[in-house]
Amino acid sequence: MSEQVGLRGKAWFQAFTGKNSPMVGDPGSVLTADAKLGEDTARFLCVVPNPEARFPCAGRGEVGLEESYTLATRIREAIEQDKNGKKRPIIAIVDVKSQAYGRREETAAIFLATATAADAYASARMKGHPVIALVMGNAISGGFLTHGYQANRILAFDDAGVVIHAMHKEAAARITLRTVAELDELGHKIAPLSYDIHDYAKLGLLHKLLHVEDPDRPSQTTVAQVQKELIDAIADARAGSQDLSNRLTSPGAREMRKAGLAARARMEEQWRQA
Amino acid sequence: MEQLKFDYPSAVRPVTKRAHVGVVGSGDMEVLMQPSETGGAQVSILTSVNGFGASWKAVMDRFFAKYDGAVRIDINDAGATPGSVMLRLEQAVEMIAPREVIKQ
Amino acid sequence: MSSAIVIPAYVRRHSFIELDARARAQSLMDPGSWRELVGPFDRIESPWLPMQGIAPQSDDGCVVLKGTIAGKPAVLIALEGKFQAGSMGEVSGAKMTAALDLATQDSQNGKKTAAVLLLETGGVRLQEANLGLAVIAEVMASILALREHAPVITVIAGTVGCFGGMSIAAGLSSYIVMTVEARLGLNGPEVIEQESGIEEFDSSDKALIWAINGGEQRVGMGVADELVLDDAEKIAASVQKYVRAGLPQVPRSQQVELYRERTAALDTSRQIDPLTLRKSWNRKTNQGGAR
């Protein structure tokens, strides 16, 4: 796992956009900026740690109430501005610890807050904005559902610091009564349980795994490399459908999600007869 | 996890319906009962609790001592007691043939 | 001395919570109108549970009925809370997304088809971890696609409640119906206690849990639409009402500004009192159900 959640995201956000501060009125935990990306101007969004967070459980790179509403606002702003023109790409830079685990958040209905952000990403996608998630650190649980998992295409760095999972390892070990070592071993046998990005890649959900030299310190070369990959992913998204069907038709999905695909095929068949 | 299979070739009375009862929740099980395709009765059990093969056989022997339908039975089990196994089987029979109560 | 025998209402009503997912689902459809799709006899089970020594279920804990509600085309998708705590796995998730997508296709072809989700779930099934998370993202996408054409109505009855990623899915639906026994939240109290400490949330404090996550609070503060008794007829009537109502003017998950402002107004220097919050948020304008 990368040394500190969010630092990598912040470094790359700055490399792509030349900015490192939030938009006026936004909390310090959400960075948004428009920047050139090939022929396009893309909107980049990144959730970062905020030591001055108003909510004590949302300062270390978690997606909480303010983060969710800010993401939703900034995405909807782009949708509104582009409604009669070219739909700008939306790039979610993903380096998020998780959702915020706090009582204040629960009381104030964080389930709805996170829904507004996921809704905004999906709305952008369905209206024709290419939405790309670029996972370069943690993408855990509700944090990823809120920020990134509604993208048309998901790219991830091929690096040990990249972890996509339903629950962080220590908690998963505790709940399933396994040791962390047992969990790692099991993950190599049962791909969906794995914390290794290579095993995640087998599930067919990723568009591409990117090998990037020294991912903690973006250089001119690596920035240009990743920008090119983003541009390719945007073109691919524009050429494809606006739903998530590519996640089901990939070679990985056909291999690893046979049961789910069988259920889907049977449902289609019986639906028409009913 | 254990897979158990039992055959009762003398259960040959034809049945026409199928039934599903129960939930694979803690201490419970589901049973799928349907007409056998090969004649006689076949039972297939998948249980998450190991080492109870003899108890399963005893319950099934007891059930088929009273019931003669040519059924295929599939069970997914999460630790049902012999009493609840029998109850679920009787519920399934009741659904496929409401008036043919099991011989007492 | 004579005394008239009075049968109290709670004896006459038919409990919905006591029913399993299949019976719950059947009780909400127009009688005789429905058919179950990809049911137990299709035997599409989780391939991942047996690999970990856990017995699967022949419907993977997800019941799908297609038919009519209030005379209108509808699909009902129910999660079985007693199987793996209603958690979402590869197969249950695929059944849910497929049914929602087919309802969307029918709706686009002129046959508007509503969806009713009976959510009793802790969220991702940890034994299918990353596929569980992935299917929840796909369920969310499919709800959003259908919601443009026909209402998606979430019913949370109890007793598992609706937590984890599926609470976000609930937040995306057109309407939410809850019983007094239902709970709705992103993080369960045990998870918060584990992650942030007992001083943040004491998960043994049941009164606090109900005050925050309970149906009365969620409806009272306007983040769910209707509070119903644990009564199959009353829940059916509520679902029929929302099927007839069609689409809300603005789905709650698009009322970003309203909730962003409300969040900005919160005093975060201490814990938020649920009752005070309920009173300050409870305005008629916020009811997603009102047209």
Side-chain angles (χ1 to χ4, degrees), chain A residues 73-223:
Chain A
T73 303
R74 292 304 175 194
I75 297 160
R76 293 211 165 273
E77 180 182 74
I79 295 173
E80 180 61 25
Q81 287 168 357
D82 295 352
K83 76 177 170 206
N84 299 317
K86 191 176 182 195
K87 312 290 183 194
R88 91 187 77 165
I90 291 175
I91 316 291
I93 297 178
V94 184
D95 186 4
V96 286
K97 196 175 144 67
S98 61
Q99 70 272 29
Y101 296 106
R103 196 211 297 183
R104 291 171 183 79
E105 281 80 2
E106 278 312 313
T107 308
I110 186 175
F111 78 90
L112 175 60
T114 49
T116 66
D119 184 331
Y121 273 117
S123 294
R125 167 170 51 74
M126 291 190 289
K127 286 187 192 315
H129 292 263
V131 180
I132 314 295
L134 178 61
V135 184
M136 52 179 65
N138 286 284
I140 310 282
S141 188
F144 194 29
L145 288 178
T146 307
H147 176 57
Y149 231 167
Q150 287 300 319
N152 306 66
R153 299 289 181 272
I154 305 168
L155 299 170
F157 283 7
D158 181 1
D159 177 72
V162 173
V163 179
I164 302 178
H165 213 274
M167 184 176 267
H168 69 79
K169 209 186 264 185
E170 291 72 23
R174 217 165 26 224
I175 288 173
T176 58
L177 306 173
R178 290 164 173 149
T179 65
V180 168
E182 282 168 348
L183 214 58
D184 280 333
E185 200 191 308
L186 206 57
H188 289 299
K189 287 188 212 135
I190 304 173
L193 293 186
S194 179
Y195 287 81
D196 186 326
I197 190 66
H198 293 125
D199 290 321
Y200 181 84
K202 291 177 191 159
L203 303 177
L205 297 157
L206 283 181
H207 177 60
K208 207 168 168 186
L209 208 49
L210 312 177
H211 181 75
V212 177
E213 281 304 321
D214 196 6
D216 286 330
R217 276 165 288 273
S219 69
Q220 224 171 5
T221 321
T222 55
V223 170

Side-chain angles (χ1 to χ4, degrees), chain A residues 54 101 103 119 266 270, chain C residues 38 42 101 196 200 253 266:
Chain A
R54 283 176 64 226
Y101 296 106
R103 196 211 297 183
D119 184 331
R266 195 76 60 90
Q270 295 181 6
Chain C
V38 196
D42 286 288
D101 291 349
S196 304
E200 181 66 22
S253 64
L266 294 172

Side-chain angles (χ1 to χ4, degrees), chain B:
Chain B
M1 173 74 61
E2 212 169 327
Q3 171 101 53
L4 304 164
K5 285 184 189 291
F6 305 109
D7 282 330
Y8 295 90
S10 57
V12 291
R13 188 175 48 78
V15 296
T16 53
K17 289 186 175 169
R18 62 184 196 182
H20 169 258
V21 291
V23 174
V24 193
S26 180
D28 202 353
M29 58 171 244
E30 70 170 345
V31 53
L32 288 79
M33 193 178 275
Q34 66 191 115
S36 161
E37 283 150 25
T38 55
Q42 300 87 38
V43 181
S44 175
I45 298 156
L46 193 61
T47 173
S48 49
V49 188
N50 293 350
F52 286 85
S55 313
W56 279 105
K57 182 160 190 323
V59 174
M60 289 303 160
D61 286 352
R62 201 143 55 82
F63 176 73
F64 280 102
K66 298 187 292 179
Y67 182 71
D68 62 355
V71 289
R72 169 184 166 188
I73 293 175
D74 290 287
I75 289 170
N76 283 315
D77 170 62
T81 62
S84 21
V85 176
M86 193 55 93
L87 181 72
R88 289 298 186 202
L89 290 169
E90 286 168 357
Q91 283 174 332
V93 168
E94 176 66 23
M95 282 174 76
I96 62 170
R99 273 171 296 278
E100 280 171 30
V101 184
I102 300 171
K103 286 177 279 179
Q104 293 300 324

Side-chain angles (χ1 to χ4, degrees), chain C:
Chain C
M1 200 165 85
S2 75
S3 61
I5 297 167
V6 179
I7 301 169
Y10 66 80
V11 175
R12 277 179 284 133
R13 77 180 192 224
H14 298 118
S15 170
F16 187 76
I17 294 175
E18 283 171 19
L19 304 175
D20 65 17
R22 185 160 286 104
R24 287 182 183 193
Q26 293 171 1
S27 78
L28 298 183
M29 303 296 290
D30 294 342
S33 76
W34 54 268
R35 195 181 143 179
E36 181 168 355
L37 307 183
V38 196
F41 287 93
D42 286 288
R43 291 182 170 84
I44 303 184
E45 300 176 344
S46 162
W48 309 103
L49 292 176
M51 292 165 85
Q52 295 166 72
I54 298 165
Q57 186 162 294
S58 56
D59 59 13
D60 204 38
C62 180
V63 177
V64 178
L65 305 186
K66 182 181 183 237
T68 62
I69 293 174
K72 291 170 182 288
V75 63
L76 196 145
I77 307 162
L79 295 178
E80 175 53 65
K82 288 202 173 73
F83 175 65
Q84 296 297 321
S87 57
M88 297 295 290
E90 178 193 356
V91 173
S92 58
K95 286 169 77 171
M96 195 179 271
T97 47
L100 289 165
D101 291 349
L102 288 159
T104 304
Q105 280 176 27
D106 280 5
S107 297
Q108 283 167 334
N109 295 331
K111 187 182 174 187
K112 300 261 183 257
T113 302
V116 180
L117 311 178
L118 305 191
L119 302 183
E120 290 298 329
T121 173
V124 173
R125 185 179 297 165
L126 280 182
Q127 294 87 354
E128 309 191 21
N130 263 328
L131 283 181
L133 193 68
V135 295
I136 291 178
E138 289 160 12
V139 163
M140 286 161 58
S142 296
I143 289 173
L144 286 164
L146 176 58
R147 204 189 62 179
E148 308 216 319
H149 307 282
V152 177
I153 302 148
T154 285
V155 178
I156 309 167
T159 53
V160 173
C162 178
F163 287 98
M166 289 307 285
S167 75
I168 309 178
L172 296 172
S173 42
S174 316
Y175 307 101
I176 303 176
V177 176
M178 294 179 77
T179 68
V180 180
E181 289 83 357
R183 293 167 301 156
L184 170 61
L186 180 60
N187 299 302
E190 293 83 4
V191 179
I192 299 179
E193 182 181 317
Q194 211 160 54
E195 297 295 325
S196 304
I198 195 162
E199 57 289 344
E200 181 66 22
F201 209 126
D202 178 355
S203 66
S204 68
D205 188 345
K206 301 298 171 205
L208 180 67
I209 297 169
W210 289 107
I212 291 175
N213 297 117
E216 208 178 333
Q217 171 72 3
R218 291 315 195 192
V219 174
M221 65 192 276
V223 295
D225 298 277
E226 191 163 57
L227 188 69
V228 286
L229 277 178
D230 170 28
D231 180 325
E233 283 81 37
K234 293 232 161 47
I235 294 172
S238 178
V239 167
Q240 287 163 15
K241 179 177 86 182
Y242 289 119
V243 169
R244 284 196 203 97
L247 307 179
Q249 278 176 337
V250 183
R252 199 178 280 108
S253 64
Q254 293 188 353
Q255 299 174 17
V256 182
E257 229 164 287
L258 173 69
Y259 287 99
R260 190 184 191 187
E261 281 166 15
R262 285 178 169 180
T263 300
L266 294 172
D267 173 7
T268 60
S269 64
R270 54 200 161 93
Q271 293 295 351
I272 301 158
D273 176 53
L275 207 59
T276 312
L277 185 79
R278 191 201 297 188
K279 283 179 189 147
S280 76
W281 281 22
N282 187 2
R283 291 182 209 147
K284 284 232 157 57
T285 52
N286 182 42
Q287 298 291 317
R291 275 214 70 142

